[in-house]
Amino acid sequence: EDQVTQSPEALRLQEGESSSLNCSYTVSGLRGLFWYRQDPGKGPEFLFTLYSAGEEKEKERLKATLTKKESFLHITAPKPEDSATYLCAVRALNDYKLSFGAGTTVTVRA
Amino acid sequence: AAGVIQSPRHLIKEKRETATLKCYPIPRHDTVYWYQQGPGQDPQFLISFYEKMQSDKGSIPDRFSAQQFSDYHSELNMSSLELGDSALYFCASSLRPTGLGDSPLHFGNGTRLTVT
């Protein structure tokens, strides 16, 4: 069964203080690893898809990287509007649904 | 751009009642997924449909059923509601991925179900 573990559970940052979130995964053949952002009471919002080890993608202050066992979401010089829960999910080769981790809740203080 | 539309946004039911949640996917998306998210939990996959046929089933209770209609909208029917069914229910849609093609799920803003 696919497993996704995210750490830390919560992260409190000062504005401008860069940090990284971790997503470790076990999947029987990876079709894709997905990062989502979720604000309270809202649906997850798609950020990135990564397919193979060594791949990197960037969007504003966010950068996602992928190895064979884990992915990192780097937040560079965060702003208060980056406060959200960041969810990692995997899709297996023989599957179409996404299996999610429990998320990391990021709070950025001004 | 059009997004996934869910209705209602909020629903309050009593134990043992029934509820119907509706989902309108992004136009031309051929796959619909239903997820349940409890407070502080990750989204749990319930069921999915591809071209109006059930394609995968997750941890969906027997009390729940779902279908996708000819216009691609989907409904999740929940009967004999229990207190533990209180959660956010999300619908998502996508194009069915082929090979390693990028086909992320796009989520609606969910229906918050409260069972009292």
Side-chain angles (χ1 to χ4, degrees), chain B residues 65-93:
Chain B
S65 65
Q67 55 183 326
Q68 187 177 29
F69 295 86
S70 58
D71 64 351
Y72 289 89
H73 96 271
S74 179
E75 294 184 0
L76 178 65
N77 299 293
M78 310 159 72
S79 63
S80 303
L81 287 169
E82 302 174 356
L83 295 177
D85 296 329
S86 296
L88 265 171
Y89 290 84
F90 290 107
C91 172
S93 72

PDB file of all heavy atoms in Angstrom, chain B residues 65-93:
ATOM      1  N   SER B  65     -22.980   5.650  -1.319  1.00  0.00           N
ATOM      2  CA  SER B  65     -22.922   5.245  -2.713  1.00  0.00           C
ATOM      3  C   SER B  65     -22.706   6.495  -3.557  1.00  0.00           C
ATOM      4  O   SER B  65     -22.934   7.612  -3.099  1.00  0.00           O
ATOM      5  CB  SER B  65     -24.211   4.532  -3.139  1.00  0.00           C
ATOM      6  OG  SER B  65     -25.307   5.439  -3.080  1.00  0.00           O
ATOM      7  N   ALA B  66     -22.252   6.299  -4.763  1.00  0.00           N
ATOM      8  CA  ALA B  66     -22.002   7.442  -5.631  1.00  0.00           C
ATOM      9  C   ALA B  66     -22.254   7.035  -7.069  1.00  0.00           C
ATOM     10  O   ALA B  66     -22.261   5.854  -7.405  1.00  0.00           O
ATOM     11  CB  ALA B  66     -20.573   7.956  -5.465  1.00  0.00           C
ATOM     12  N   GLN B  67     -22.495   8.024  -7.892  1.00  0.00           N
ATOM     13  CA  GLN B  67     -22.636   7.762  -9.313  1.00  0.00           C
ATOM     14  C   GLN B  67     -22.243   9.007 -10.096  1.00  0.00           C
ATOM     15  O   GLN B  67     -22.209  10.114  -9.561  1.00  0.00           O
ATOM     16  CB  GLN B  67     -24.060   7.335  -9.662  1.00  0.00           C
ATOM     17  CG  GLN B  67     -25.148   8.275  -9.232  1.00  0.00           C
ATOM     18  CD  GLN B  67     -26.546   7.741  -9.545  1.00  0.00           C
ATOM     19  OE1 GLN B  67     -26.747   7.058 -10.551  1.00  0.00           O
ATOM     20  NE2 GLN B  67     -27.509   8.030  -8.697  1.00  0.00           N
ATOM     21  N   GLN B  68     -21.946   8.787 -11.367  1.00  0.00           N
ATOM     22  CA  GLN B  68     -21.653   9.886 -12.266  1.00  0.00           C
ATOM     23  C   GLN B  68     -22.673   9.836 -13.388  1.00  0.00           C
ATOM     24  O   GLN B  68     -22.947   8.767 -13.948  1.00  0.00           O
ATOM     25  CB  GLN B  68     -20.233   9.771 -12.825  1.00  0.00           C
ATOM     26  CG  GLN B  68     -19.818  10.989 -13.639  1.00  0.00           C
ATOM     27  CD  GLN B  68     -18.381  10.912 -14.136  1.00  0.00           C
ATOM     28  OE1 GLN B  68     -17.847   9.828 -14.360  1.00  0.00           O
ATOM     29  NE2 GLN B  68     -17.765  12.069 -14.326  1.00  0.00           N
ATOM     30  N   PHE B  69     -23.223  10.988 -13.728  1.00  0.00           N
ATOM     31  CA  PHE B  69     -24.321  11.070 -14.682  1.00  0.00           C
ATOM     32  C   PHE B  69     -23.814  11.398 -16.081  1.00  0.00           C
ATOM     33  O   PHE B  69     -22.637  11.659 -16.292  1.00  0.00           O
ATOM     34  CB  PHE B  69     -25.322  12.115 -14.190  1.00  0.00           C
ATOM     35  CG  PHE B  69     -25.986  11.735 -12.899  1.00  0.00           C
ATOM     36  CD1 PHE B  69     -25.400  12.033 -11.677  1.00  0.00           C
ATOM     37  CD2 PHE B  69     -27.192  11.048 -12.885  1.00  0.00           C
ATOM     38  CE1 PHE B  69     -25.993  11.672 -10.471  1.00  0.00           C
ATOM     39  CE2 PHE B  69     -27.801  10.690 -11.700  1.00  0.00           C
ATOM     40  CZ  PHE B  69     -27.201  10.993 -10.493  1.00  0.00           C
ATOM     41  N   SER B  70     -24.759  11.394 -17.027  1.00  0.00           N
ATOM     42  CA  SER B  70     -24.396  11.583 -18.434  1.00  0.00           C
ATOM     43  C   SER B  70     -23.749  12.946 -18.676  1.00  0.00           C
ATOM     44  O   SER B  70     -22.961  13.092 -19.613  1.00  0.00           O
ATOM     45  CB  SER B  70     -25.622  11.410 -19.333  1.00  0.00           C
ATOM     46  OG  SER B  70     -26.633  12.325 -18.957  1.00  0.00           O
ATOM     47  N   ASP B  71     -24.070  13.942 -17.853  1.00  0.00           N
ATOM     48  CA  ASP B  71     -23.447  15.263 -18.027  1.00  0.00           C
ATOM     49  C   ASP B  71     -22.143  15.376 -17.224  1.00  0.00           C
ATOM     50  O   ASP B  71     -21.594  16.467 -17.086  1.00  0.00           O
ATOM     51  CB  ASP B  71     -24.414  16.373 -17.628  1.00  0.00           C
ATOM     52  CG  ASP B  71     -24.779  16.341 -16.141  1.00  0.00           C
ATOM     53  OD1 ASP B  71     -24.410  15.353 -15.464  1.00  0.00           O
ATOM     54  OD2 ASP B  71     -25.428  17.282 -15.670  1.00  0.00           O
ATOM     55  N   TYR B  72     -21.666  14.258 -16.698  1.00  0.00           N
ATOM     56  CA  TYR B  72     -20.417  14.123 -15.942  1.00  0.00           C
ATOM     57  C   TYR B  72     -20.489  14.627 -14.511  1.00  0.00           C
ATOM     58  O   TYR B  72     -19.520  14.447 -13.773  1.00  0.00           O
ATOM     59  CB  TYR B  72     -19.226  14.774 -16.665  1.00  0.00           C
ATOM     60  CG  TYR B  72     -18.800  13.998 -17.883  1.00  0.00           C
ATOM     61  CD1 TYR B  72     -19.386  14.260 -19.115  1.00  0.00           C
ATOM     62  CD2 TYR B  72     -17.848  12.989 -17.798  1.00  0.00           C
ATOM     63  CE1 TYR B  72     -19.027  13.530 -20.238  1.00  0.00           C
ATOM     64  CE2 TYR B  72     -17.486  12.256 -18.916  1.00  0.00           C
ATOM     65  CZ  TYR B  72     -18.081  12.523 -20.133  1.00  0.00           C
ATOM     66  OH  TYR B  72     -17.729  11.804 -21.242  1.00  0.00           O
ATOM     67  N   HIS B  73     -21.592  15.232 -14.092  1.00  0.00           N
ATOM     68  CA  HIS B  73     -21.651  15.597 -12.691  1.00  0.00           C
ATOM     69  C   HIS B  73     -21.803  14.327 -11.847  1.00  0.00           C
ATOM     70  O   HIS B  73     -22.250  13.292 -12.340  1.00  0.00           O
ATOM     71  CB  HIS B  73     -22.749  16.631 -12.417  1.00  0.00           C
ATOM     72  CG  HIS B  73     -24.065  16.079 -11.948  1.00  0.00           C
ATOM     73  ND1 HIS B  73     -25.071  15.699 -12.815  1.00  0.00           N
ATOM     74  CD2 HIS B  73     -24.525  15.865 -10.689  1.00  0.00           C
ATOM     75  CE1 HIS B  73     -26.099  15.279 -12.110  1.00  0.00           C
ATOM     76  NE2 HIS B  73     -25.810  15.349 -10.818  1.00  0.00           N
ATOM     77  N   SER B  74     -21.393  14.409 -10.603  1.00  0.00           N
ATOM     78  CA  SER B  74     -21.408  13.239  -9.738  1.00  0.00           C
ATOM     79  C   SER B  74     -22.142  13.572  -8.444  1.00  0.00           C
ATOM     80  O   SER B  74     -22.202  14.728  -8.032  1.00  0.00           O
ATOM     81  CB  SER B  74     -19.977  12.801  -9.415  1.00  0.00           C
ATOM     82  OG  SER B  74     -19.962  11.676  -8.556  1.00  0.00           O
ATOM     83  N   GLU B  75     -22.729  12.557  -7.848  1.00  0.00           N
ATOM     84  CA  GLU B  75     -23.406  12.722  -6.563  1.00  0.00           C
ATOM     85  C   GLU B  75     -22.936  11.638  -5.593  1.00  0.00           C
ATOM     86  O   GLU B  75     -22.775  10.472  -5.991  1.00  0.00           O
ATOM     87  CB  GLU B  75     -24.921  12.662  -6.738  1.00  0.00           C
ATOM     88  CG  GLU B  75     -25.462  13.824  -7.541  1.00  0.00           C
ATOM     89  CD  GLU B  75     -26.986  13.827  -7.645  1.00  0.00           C
ATOM     90  OE1 GLU B  75     -27.625  12.918  -7.083  1.00  0.00           O
ATOM     91  OE2 GLU B  75     -27.515  14.748  -8.298  1.00  0.00           O
ATOM     92  N   LEU B  76     -22.701  12.053  -4.352  1.00  0.00           N
ATOM     93  CA  LEU B  76     -22.343  11.132  -3.278  1.00  0.00           C
ATOM     94  C   LEU B  76     -23.549  11.050  -2.354  1.00  0.00           C
ATOM     95  O   LEU B  76     -23.973  12.069  -1.802  1.00  0.00           O
ATOM     96  CB  LEU B  76     -21.112  11.644  -2.524  1.00  0.00           C
ATOM     97  CG  LEU B  76     -20.627  10.814  -1.339  1.00  0.00           C
ATOM     98  CD1 LEU B  76     -20.124   9.451  -1.799  1.00  0.00           C
ATOM     99  CD2 LEU B  76     -19.513  11.556  -0.581  1.00  0.00           C
ATOM    100  N   ASN B  77     -24.113   9.866  -2.231  1.00  0.00           N
ATOM    101  CA  ASN B  77     -25.279   9.646  -1.389  1.00  0.00           C
ATOM    102  C   ASN B  77     -24.859   8.947  -0.109  1.00  0.00           C
ATOM    103  O   ASN B  77     -24.174   7.927  -0.152  1.00  0.00           O
ATOM    104  CB  ASN B  77     -26.311   8.794  -2.139  1.00  0.00           C
ATOM    105  CG  ASN B  77     -26.797   9.485  -3.400  1.00  0.00           C
ATOM    106  OD1 ASN B  77     -27.458  10.504  -3.341  1.00  0.00           O
ATOM    107  ND2 ASN B  77     -26.435   8.940  -4.555  1.00  0.00           N
ATOM    108  N   MET B  78     -25.281   9.518   1.001  1.00  0.00           N
ATOM    109  CA  MET B  78     -24.865   9.008   2.305  1.00  0.00           C
ATOM    110  C   MET B  78     -26.114   8.716   3.122  1.00  0.00           C
ATOM    111  O   MET B  78     -26.953   9.608   3.310  1.00  0.00           O
ATOM    112  CB  MET B  78     -24.001  10.053   3.006  1.00  0.00           C
ATOM    113  CG  MET B  78     -22.869  10.564   2.090  1.00  0.00           C
ATOM    114  SD  MET B  78     -22.208  12.157   2.581  1.00  0.00           S
ATOM    115  CE  MET B  78     -21.331  11.670   4.041  1.00  0.00           C
ATOM    116  N   SER B  79     -26.258   7.486   3.586  1.00  0.00           N
ATOM    117  CA  SER B  79     -27.447   7.116   4.347  1.00  0.00           C
ATOM    118  C   SER B  79     -27.060   6.704   5.762  1.00  0.00           C
ATOM    119  O   SER B  79     -25.877   6.456   6.051  1.00  0.00           O
ATOM    120  CB  SER B  79     -28.196   5.978   3.643  1.00  0.00           C
ATOM    121  OG  SER B  79     -27.380   4.828   3.589  1.00  0.00           O
ATOM    122  N   SER B  80     -28.087   6.628   6.624  1.00  0.00           N
ATOM    123  CA  SER B  80     -27.885   6.234   8.026  1.00  0.00           C
ATOM    124  C   SER B  80     -26.691   6.966   8.622  1.00  0.00           C
ATOM    125  O   SER B  80     -25.768   6.353   9.172  1.00  0.00           O
ATOM    126  CB  SER B  80     -27.672   4.718   8.137  1.00  0.00           C
ATOM    127  OG  SER B  80     -28.757   4.018   7.583  1.00  0.00           O
ATOM    128  N   LEU B  81     -26.707   8.283   8.513  1.00  0.00           N
ATOM    129  CA  LEU B  81     -25.566   9.087   8.930  1.00  0.00           C
ATOM    130  C   LEU B  81     -25.213   8.860  10.395  1.00  0.00           C
ATOM    131  O   LEU B  81     -26.085   8.680  11.252  1.00  0.00           O
ATOM    132  CB  LEU B  81     -25.857  10.563   8.684  1.00  0.00           C
ATOM    133  CG  LEU B  81     -25.824  10.991   7.209  1.00  0.00           C
ATOM    134  CD1 LEU B  81     -26.380  12.400   7.051  1.00  0.00           C
ATOM    135  CD2 LEU B  81     -24.415  10.905   6.669  1.00  0.00           C
ATOM    136  N   GLU B  82     -23.911   8.863  10.643  1.00  0.00           N
ATOM    137  CA  GLU B  82     -23.376   8.710  11.997  1.00  0.00           C
ATOM    138  C   GLU B  82     -22.588   9.957  12.356  1.00  0.00           C
ATOM    139  O   GLU B  82     -22.149  10.710  11.464  1.00  0.00           O
ATOM    140  CB  GLU B  82     -22.461   7.478  12.045  1.00  0.00           C
ATOM    141  CG  GLU B  82     -23.147   6.188  11.646  1.00  0.00           C
ATOM    142  CD  GLU B  82     -22.181   5.008  11.552  1.00  0.00           C
ATOM    143  OE1 GLU B  82     -20.956   5.221  11.730  1.00  0.00           O
ATOM    144  OE2 GLU B  82     -22.660   3.888  11.304  1.00  0.00           O
ATOM    145  N   LEU B  83     -22.387  10.163  13.677  1.00  0.00           N
ATOM    146  CA  LEU B  83     -21.635  11.341  14.121  1.00  0.00           C
ATOM    147  C   LEU B  83     -20.251  11.386  13.467  1.00  0.00           C
ATOM    148  O   LEU B  83     -19.745  12.449  13.107  1.00  0.00           O
ATOM    149  CB  LEU B  83     -21.495  11.329  15.645  1.00  0.00           C
ATOM    150  CG  LEU B  83     -22.781  11.461  16.446  1.00  0.00           C
ATOM    151  CD1 LEU B  83     -22.494  11.371  17.950  1.00  0.00           C
ATOM    152  CD2 LEU B  83     -23.500  12.767  16.130  1.00  0.00           C
ATOM    153  N   GLY B  84     -19.647  10.215  13.291  1.00  0.00           N
ATOM    154  CA  GLY B  84     -18.298  10.130  12.717  1.00  0.00           C
ATOM    155  C   GLY B  84     -18.225  10.482  11.248  1.00  0.00           C
ATOM    156  O   GLY B  84     -17.129  10.579  10.696  1.00  0.00           O
ATOM    157  N   ASP B  85     -19.371  10.676  10.613  1.00  0.00           N
ATOM    158  CA  ASP B  85     -19.371  11.081   9.201  1.00  0.00           C
ATOM    159  C   ASP B  85     -19.149  12.578   9.047  1.00  0.00           C
ATOM    160  O   ASP B  85     -18.967  13.062   7.922  1.00  0.00           O
ATOM    161  CB  ASP B  85     -20.695  10.696   8.538  1.00  0.00           C
ATOM    162  CG  ASP B  85     -20.910   9.194   8.488  1.00  0.00           C
ATOM    163  OD1 ASP B  85     -19.912   8.453   8.385  1.00  0.00           O
ATOM    164  OD2 ASP B  85     -22.087   8.766   8.563  1.00  0.00           O
ATOM    165  N   SER B  86     -19.171  13.304  10.153  1.00  0.00           N
ATOM    166  CA  SER B  86     -18.928  14.750  10.101  1.00  0.00           C
ATOM    167  C   SER B  86     -17.521  14.998   9.571  1.00  0.00           C
ATOM    168  O   SER B  86     -16.533  14.511  10.143  1.00  0.00           O
ATOM    169  CB  SER B  86     -19.078  15.373  11.487  1.00  0.00           C
ATOM    170  OG  SER B  86     -20.394  15.252  11.955  1.00  0.00           O
ATOM    171  N   ALA B  87     -17.422  15.730   8.478  1.00  0.00           N
ATOM    172  CA  ALA B  87     -16.133  15.945   7.816  1.00  0.00           C
ATOM    173  C   ALA B  87     -16.340  16.897   6.649  1.00  0.00           C
ATOM    174  O   ALA B  87     -17.462  17.276   6.324  1.00  0.00           O
ATOM    175  CB  ALA B  87     -15.563  14.618   7.294  1.00  0.00           C
ATOM    176  N   LEU B  88     -15.229  17.247   6.035  1.00  0.00           N
ATOM    177  CA  LEU B  88     -15.252  17.950   4.753  1.00  0.00           C
ATOM    178  C   LEU B  88     -15.198  16.896   3.650  1.00  0.00           C
ATOM    179  O   LEU B  88     -14.354  15.995   3.699  1.00  0.00           O
ATOM    180  CB  LEU B  88     -14.041  18.865   4.620  1.00  0.00           C
ATOM    181  CG  LEU B  88     -14.165  20.322   5.009  1.00  0.00           C
ATOM    182  CD1 LEU B  88     -12.813  20.995   5.002  1.00  0.00           C
ATOM    183  CD2 LEU B  88     -15.125  21.050   4.098  1.00  0.00           C
ATOM    184  N   TYR B  89     -16.085  17.010   2.693  1.00  0.00           N
ATOM    185  CA  TYR B  89     -16.100  16.080   1.557  1.00  0.00           C
ATOM    186  C   TYR B  89     -15.706  16.848   0.303  1.00  0.00           C
ATOM    187  O   TYR B  89     -16.365  17.802  -0.086  1.00  0.00           O
ATOM    188  CB  TYR B  89     -17.481  15.440   1.412  1.00  0.00           C
ATOM    189  CG  TYR B  89     -17.759  14.473   2.537  1.00  0.00           C
ATOM    190  CD1 TYR B  89     -18.253  14.926   3.752  1.00  0.00           C
ATOM    191  CD2 TYR B  89     -17.466  13.124   2.403  1.00  0.00           C
ATOM    192  CE1 TYR B  89     -18.466  14.060   4.808  1.00  0.00           C
ATOM    193  CE2 TYR B  89     -17.680  12.238   3.446  1.00  0.00           C
ATOM    194  CZ  TYR B  89     -18.170  12.713   4.648  1.00  0.00           C
ATOM    195  OH  TYR B  89     -18.371  11.854   5.688  1.00  0.00           O
ATOM    196  N   PHE B  90     -14.612  16.406  -0.292  1.00  0.00           N
ATOM    197  CA  PHE B  90     -14.105  17.069  -1.479  1.00  0.00           C
ATOM    198  C   PHE B  90     -14.355  16.223  -2.711  1.00  0.00           C
ATOM    199  O   PHE B  90     -14.229  15.003  -2.689  1.00  0.00           O
ATOM    200  CB  PHE B  90     -12.599  17.315  -1.374  1.00  0.00           C
ATOM    201  CG  PHE B  90     -12.220  18.347  -0.365  1.00  0.00           C
ATOM    202  CD1 PHE B  90     -11.639  17.984   0.834  1.00  0.00           C
ATOM    203  CD2 PHE B  90     -12.439  19.690  -0.619  1.00  0.00           C
ATOM    204  CE1 PHE B  90     -11.288  18.938   1.769  1.00  0.00           C
ATOM    205  CE2 PHE B  90     -12.094  20.660   0.314  1.00  0.00           C
ATOM    206  CZ  PHE B  90     -11.525  20.274   1.505  1.00  0.00           C
ATOM    207  N   CYS B  91     -14.655  16.910  -3.779  1.00  0.00           N
ATOM    208  CA  CYS B  91     -14.695  16.309  -5.092  1.00  0.00           C
ATOM    209  C   CYS B  91     -13.519  16.888  -5.878  1.00  0.00           C
ATOM    210  O   CYS B  91     -13.161  18.061  -5.707  1.00  0.00           O
ATOM    211  CB  CYS B  91     -16.025  16.649  -5.762  1.00  0.00           C
ATOM    212  SG  CYS B  91     -16.138  16.150  -7.484  1.00  0.00           S
ATOM    213  N   ALA B  92     -12.924  16.069  -6.708  1.00  0.00           N
ATOM    214  CA  ALA B  92     -11.845  16.522  -7.577  1.00  0.00           C
ATOM    215  C   ALA B  92     -12.074  15.956  -8.959  1.00  0.00           C
ATOM    216  O   ALA B  92     -12.741  14.926  -9.116  1.00  0.00           O
ATOM    217  CB  ALA B  92     -10.487  16.076  -7.042  1.00  0.00           C
ATOM    218  N   SER B  93     -11.522  16.624  -9.955  1.00  0.00           N
ATOM    219  CA  SER B  93     -11.624  16.091 -11.312  1.00  0.00           C
ATOM    220  C   SER B  93     -10.276  16.198 -12.008  1.00  0.00           C
ATOM    221  O   SER B  93      -9.413  16.994 -11.616  1.00  0.00           O
ATOM    222  CB  SER B  93     -12.713  16.808 -12.114  1.00  0.00           C
ATOM    223  OG  SER B  93     -12.322  18.129 -12.466  1.00  0.00           O
TER     224      SER B  93
END
